[in-house]
Amino acid sequence: KNQVEQSPQSLIILEGKNCTLQCNYTVSPFSNLRWYKQDTGRGPVSLTIMTFSENTKSNGRYTATLDADTKQSSLHITASQLSDSASYICVVSAGRHGNNRLAFGKGNQVVVIP
Amino acid sequence: DAGVIQSPRHEVTEMGQEVTLRCKPISGHNSLFWYRQTMMRGLELLIYFNNNVPIDDSGMPEDRFSAKMPNASFSTLKIQPSEPRDSAVYFCASTYSTGTDTQYFGPGTRLTVL
């Protein structure tokens, strides 16, 4: 079983609407959680990084939340734009060093239509 | 800065051939990562280096894969002999060494093994 589960696997939303992507993890001990955006044919780009003590972090129209007790994170996209069409990948890091034992979600595929 | 540079961008080879992928990290970064991405398995960390030293190679699938970082500005990932199941996009990323620093990904090398 994957240690990082993302849902929904894919979704289609209208331009201008909001959406929320979910990431549930079982990784332990927790070090940090990252959300990446990956456009088709390109490398992932970091959106947010959150440690245990952080509940929310924003990057423009992207807002990530973290509940370390329930081991859940969400990524909220506000007022979606066509350029938000991409795969959003949740990555959880375990262990003392933040880059050790990374667990990757399969991604949320988002398509924004006009 | 030009960002992380990878070459080649595309590689098509026949089963059994040796494949060498190259990466130039962002100047000043001292951590370098090699990832593999497929539709089935998503993004996977293969190996990462800190100050040119391999720190965690537990993600390297088997002995056919090897990675080197002879200096701070260059790394290679070699597959010998290659197999069709190695077909994937291989990403290189770099960052400063602390666990929560943003990783910057290269554009990837799309490898097809026939």
Side-chain angles (χ1 to χ4, degrees), chain B residues 5 9 38 54 57 62 71 86 99 110:
Chain B
I5 299 173
R9 292 294 310 277
T38 62
D57 65 354
E62 50 198 272
N71 58 62
D86 301 331
R110 181 173 294 278

Side-chain angles (χ1 to χ4, degrees), chain B residues 22-82:
Chain B
R22 297 173 177 79
C23 175
K24 176 179 169 56
I26 292 174
S27 178
H29 285 184
N30 59 5
S31 291
L32 181 141
F33 306 78
W34 282 102
Y35 294 88
R36 177 173 67 176
Q37 187 175 42
T38 62
M39 288 290 292
M40 289 295 295
R41 300 173 66 91
L43 200 59
E44 303 171 279
L45 176 64
L46 300 177
I47 184 171
Y48 87 91
F49 296 83
N50 184 251
N51 293 322
N52 311 337
V53 176
I55 302 300
D56 184 357
D57 65 354
S58 59
M60 295 286 265
E62 50 198 272
D63 292 343
R64 297 184 297 105
F65 285 68
S66 62
K68 294 182 179 180
M69 191 165 186
N71 58 62
S73 59
F74 184 67
S75 177
T76 59
L77 177 67
K78 185 175 295 186
I79 308 172
Q80 166 63 20
S82 58

Side-chain angles (χ1 to χ4, degrees), chain B residues 81-93:
Chain B
S82 58
E83 297 181 3
R85 61 193 169 117
D86 301 331
S87 297
V89 181
Y90 291 81
F91 289 104
C92 176

Side-chain angles (χ1 to χ4, degrees), chain A residues 34 38 49 99-100 104 106, chain B residues 35 37 40 43 48 99-100:
Chain A
R34 311 163 191 239
Q38 185 175 21
I49 302 174
N99 293 314
N100 280 4
F104 296 83
K106 293 286 183 66
Chain B
Y35 294 88
Q37 187 175 42
M40 289 295 295
L43 200 59
Y48 87 91
T100 57

